[in-house]
Amino acid sequence: MKYLGRLAPTPTGYLHLGHASTFSIAHRRAREAGGGLLLRIEDLDPLRCRSEFAAAAMEDLKWLGLDWDGEPVFQSQRRNHFLEVWQRLKSGGHIYPCLRSRREISTLAPHEEEPIFPIEWRTPQGTAEGYSKPRGVNWRFRVPEGAVLRFHDQNLGLVEKVGQRDFGDFLVWNRDDVPAYELAVVADDMAMGITEVVRGADLLTSTARQILLYEALGARTPAFFHCALVCDKEGRRLAKRSGGLSIRELREAGKTPEEILRMAEVGRIISKL
Ligand code: GLU
């Protein structure tokens, strides 16, 4: 099968060194394999995404020399496709409407970013049948009890994640009627025929969740390559808010694309120390 990769920025801010790092690896792997590389703008969240960030991301990628094939795909235009996938998951009994509020869930483990959703809080099997649309309620994937997800990462080797220990029932559709990241990314990677997903190692647990979605949808999983995250000199992980390290600022400060890609590489090495 011919290699097909993708670059998938979320336009909630300007690209930074971490993106330059992941996207340059994705680009290199696709080109070295003699394969294709698609661009998908993950602009589903209307409150956080802005079209000027999408335009800036495309401009920055081009300036860095990271080209892609064909026209960009915008997730905001693919709602019907996501709805179909929601429907399939619902028909298969894999998802359920969740009636617990975010506040209730966060009180379970106030210091954790994402507490594990307790199995006892699931709504009973069959509740989903009363819904013809996802709107108005959060939808969660029913993680099979004790599910062990083992996969061979092309960069990290064997990775293992365990359901209800590393993650619990996760969101596939938000009550504000926006498909959740896990559903959208799997729906699109499947539809676009992606053979290898290159992404940051911060998404390893998401990958385990996504493998469950592929299985539920009866689809083949792509290969995965998780990249080391880029850290600053103090060893702190970069985030969109990290000042001074956006591609734009570095470019304005006179850095060349080669220098920026080298800085990204050094940042990955620091993260491994
Ligand atoms: N859009 C995601 C991000 O910017 C990446 C999605 C993925 O690689 O699956 O973090």
Side-chain angles (χ1 to χ4, degrees):
M1 199 175 12
K2 198 170 168 211
Y3 186 106
L4 188 59
R6 52 32 165 212
L7 308 172
T10 303
T12 50
Y14 293 116
L15 298 188
H16 57 61
L17 266 188
H19 298 106
S21 160
T22 305
F23 294 153
S24 68
I25 294 172
H27 185 265
R28 193 174 62 221
R29 288 186 66 78
R31 297 305 182 223
E32 279 178 3
L37 187 66
L38 305 178
L39 175 67
R40 182 170 76 226
I41 305 289
E42 306 211 317
D43 57 348
L44 277 175
D45 183 346
L47 295 177
R48 295 176 56 236
C49 296
R50 301 226 303 257
S51 58
E52 57 266 39
F53 289 135
M58 292 192 261
E59 195 190 294
D60 289 350
L61 285 169
K62 281 188 203 149
W63 181 76
L64 284 171
L66 305 178
D67 61 338
W68 61 89
D69 305 309
E71 292 301 313
V73 169
F74 290 83
Q75 286 193 320
S76 57
Q77 293 167 13
R78 294 173 56 73
R79 185 180 162 80
N80 286 345
H81 174 58
F82 302 135
L83 270 177
E84 255 169 54
V85 172
W86 172 82
Q87 190 67 52
R88 278 174 63 191
L89 291 169
K90 184 172 83 89
S91 312
H94 298 291
I95 57 174
Y96 61 90
C98 168
L99 306 172
R100 302 285 176 160
S101 67
R102 188 170 288 180
R103 179 159 339 136
E104 257 177 303
I105 297 164
S106 67
T107 54
L108 288 172
H111 303 298
E112 274 170 39
E113 216 172 281
E114 203 185 329
I116 306 233
F117 189 82
I119 288 184
E120 312 80 66
W121 283 10
R122 286 177 176 166
T123 44
Q125 281 278 13
T127 340
E129 282 152 28
Y131 291 77
S132 58
K133 294 197 178 78
R135 203 188 175 84
V137 63
N138 282 319
W139 287 80
R140 285 183 188 273
F141 184 89
R142 197 183 297 277
V143 174
E145 276 162 63
V148 179
L149 280 305
R150 258 189 219 106
F151 62 95
H152 179 82
D153 184 80
Q154 304 295 317
N155 187 32
L156 306 174
L158 185 69
V159 177
E160 183 180 289
K161 298 280 174 190
V162 179
Q164 277 87 41
R165 182 192 78 188
D166 298 316
F167 63 95
D169 290 1
F170 55 90
L171 286 175
V172 291
W173 206 281
N174 294 302
R175 63 185 311 155
D176 51 8
D177 208 16
V178 177
Y181 159 71
E182 312 288 9
L183 180 143
V185 95
V186 169
D188 271 347
D189 284 337
M190 272 168 60
M192 293 161 80
I194 300 302
T195 63
E196 183 179 82
V197 169
V198 177
R199 55 165 66 121
D202 53 333
L203 290 171
L204 269 174
T205 307
S206 275
T207 295
R209 297 184 187 109
Q210 291 172 25
I211 291 173
L212 286 172
L213 284 174
Y214 282 102
E215 286 172 2
L217 294 163
R220 216 187 132 101
T221 50
F224 295 101
F225 184 108
H226 289 83
C227 313
L229 301 175
V230 174
C231 290
D232 63 14
K233 285 202 218 72
E234 281 75 45
R236 280 185 311 240
R237 222 182 96 188
L238 296 191
K240 286 209 175 95
R241 60 191 172 279
S242 310
L245 292 171
S246 74
I247 310 298
R248 316 229 116 188
E249 285 163 293
L250 292 168
R251 178 179 174 180
E252 272 153 32
K255 299 274 184 227
T256 64
E258 294 70 32
E259 282 168 327
I260 292 180
L261 295 176
R262 211 171 316 124
M263 282 171 78
E265 201 166 320
V266 171
R268 273 201 307 275
I269 294 167
I270 292 177
S271 78
K272 285 187 179 163
L273 296 180

